[in-house]
Amino acid sequence: MRHKDGSWRVLESTANVIRNADGEADGLVVVNRDITDRKRAEEALAHNALYDGLTGLANRTLLLERLERALSICRRHSDFKFAVLFIDIDEFKVINDSLGHPTGDVLLVQIARRLTACLRRVDTISRTVQSESDGNTFGETTIARPGGDEFLVLVEELHNPSDAIRIAERIRGRLAPPFEMDGREIVVTCSIGIAFSGDASAEAQGMLRDAEIAMYRAKHTGKARCEVFDNTMHASALSRLQLETDLRKAVERHEFRVYYQPIVSLQNGHIVGLEALSRWQRPQGIVMPNDFIPLADETGILLSINRQLILDACKQLRAWQQLFATDPLLFLSINISPKQFAQENLATQMGQLLQECGMDPHCVNLEITETIAMSDVERSAAVLSQLKALGVGLDIDDFGTGYSSLSRLQGFPVDTLKIDRVFVSRMDSDHETHEIVRIIVMLAHNLGLKVIAEGVETQAQLDLLRRMDCEQAQGYLFSKAADPQTIEQLLAANRSGIVPPIRAEGAASV
Ligand code: C2E
Ligand code: CA
Ligand code: CA
């Protein structure tokens, strides 16, 4: 009903019959109640239940509903095909952390707008004229934001998977131009996973999962790309999931061990320090770091593994420092993973941890790979300074693999450069590599940095490194990474001079 103020109101009416003495209907009593507010609230609730509050796009529930519908059409009409695209914004967390959540939200809204504009259906008339395979012929689309920086797109009436790839490429193209945020330009890339209809027995949840798996594949193979789901991905996703479950159990069961690899002074052959390296002691045998560290880091499990590793290793080092009172004291090198380095309060945590195990920070070196350090130079400089303030030493690990120039290291408060194994292993057979190593050592010294050569395996390599005045080295020539008992024997022998300071063969170790 129209109110006299001109607005429309929703009324709920109940009517009762008024009967006369003969029982005939004489009139009605109508009671009207203004329920406009309740209706509005109900509509808002219904909308909230199906749409994303931030972007106004569909939410996961509505998308699943549409997906169920598409699947049931597909079961009845085998030529009806559709695809689900799982879109994830690359490095969105970095944007959120550096510019703040409100800005992140504005960016998500703008991304949603571009997606909507890009997937707006070409009008029906021109559609029939379009060639069949230019990716422009598709039916209804549903764009959803299930949460975070993820978007889902359901595209109906496709012909084959390549149509879906073209749509994904179009989305990537549309998101490529920079976004204007607070007067600065932000460039966004995304990784897209595609699940294409085909299997009559497919289920909605299963298709979303397949699209997500394909999206992760796109991320792992370099980001800013798209990938179509296939069944081998399912198998590898399952085994990843199994590994993840096993890793979590392994943390509870304390299955991780610290192995140590000696770092040797090239001046006198003494073991001056030890690099702590993780090993996973499973009932079926030892698992090497390369087979579990990457997944452990991605899933955040590495944070608890490494916490335990630091506690164990510090305790061990203190025992050895007492047993072998060398001058200077033995030092311990610890690897810092990408995710650890990205933590907000790394320095504070590290400080507390070292204090907890009574470790003098001056005896600890933290190793950060060149690639991690260079990925965000400004932030790295700040984090490295905070760490430096604790008193720990800082090493750039795997140097030479990150294609950065030494001069870019100048702003970092680092002490040591660790030359990657790939250079050291080739330096005695390839003249050019030999020159590269020589120049790296020279430039590092000019910057006041100490150099450790990694992966020294031959006497020839050792001789060359000595001639370059490289300070320290580690590698199989001296010892592999080994368990504490083996290392203790090695330290005793190395320090008492019973065996030549630099050993030619590694002890029984891994
Ligand atoms: P990295 O930090 O570069 O460690 C050196 C790796 O080279 C170790 O492999 C070591 O055993 C190996 N190595 C040393 N000398 C030689 C040699 O002469 N020849 C050859 N072929 N290899 C040599 P490992 O222990 O398998 O570790 C692999 C990587 O896993 C490490 O590379 C490090 O990046 C990572 N990692 C290991 N433990 C941890 C950990 O506790 N935390 C973190 N964040 N990363 C770890
Ligand atoms: Ca290392
Ligand atoms: Ca290394």
Side-chain angles (χ1 to χ4, degrees), residues 261 275 278-279 289 306 335 397-398 421 454-455 457 475-476:
Q261 185 176 37
E275 177 170 0
S278 291
R279 295 291 181 268
N306 258 18
N335 293 290
D397 203 357
D398 301 348
R421 202 167 73 213
E454 292 192 290
E457 293 186 4
Y476 294 172

Side-chain angles (χ1 to χ4, degrees), residues 86-90 189-193 215 218-219 223-225:
F86 197 114
I87 306 168
D88 189 279
I89 308 301
D90 299 328
T189 62
C190 64
S191 301
I192 305 181
M215 183 280 289
K219 279 237 192 271
K223 299 186 180 153
R225 40 193 314 279

Side-chain angles (χ1 to χ4, degrees), residues 406-466:
L406 261 172
S407 60
R408 294 185 64 199
L409 284 177
Q410 237 162 342
F412 294 161
V414 292
D415 311 276
T416 308
L417 213 61
K418 296 189 81 170
I419 302 182
D420 194 75
R421 202 167 73 213
V422 296
F423 297 100
V424 176
S425 66
R426 284 203 307 254
M427 66 185 288
D428 50 350
S429 58
D430 175 43
H431 179 70
E432 206 173 312
T433 312
H434 174 239
E435 267 312 287
I436 292 174
V437 175
R438 200 179 60 80
I439 290 166
I440 293 177
V441 175
M442 202 179 71
L443 291 174
H445 285 164
N446 284 346
L447 290 174
L449 301 176
K450 190 178 80 186
V451 179
I452 302 182
E454 292 192 290
V456 179
E457 293 186 4
T458 69
Q459 188 65 41
Q461 290 161 0
L462 177 62
D463 293 341
L464 290 173
L465 288 163
R466 269 204 178 123

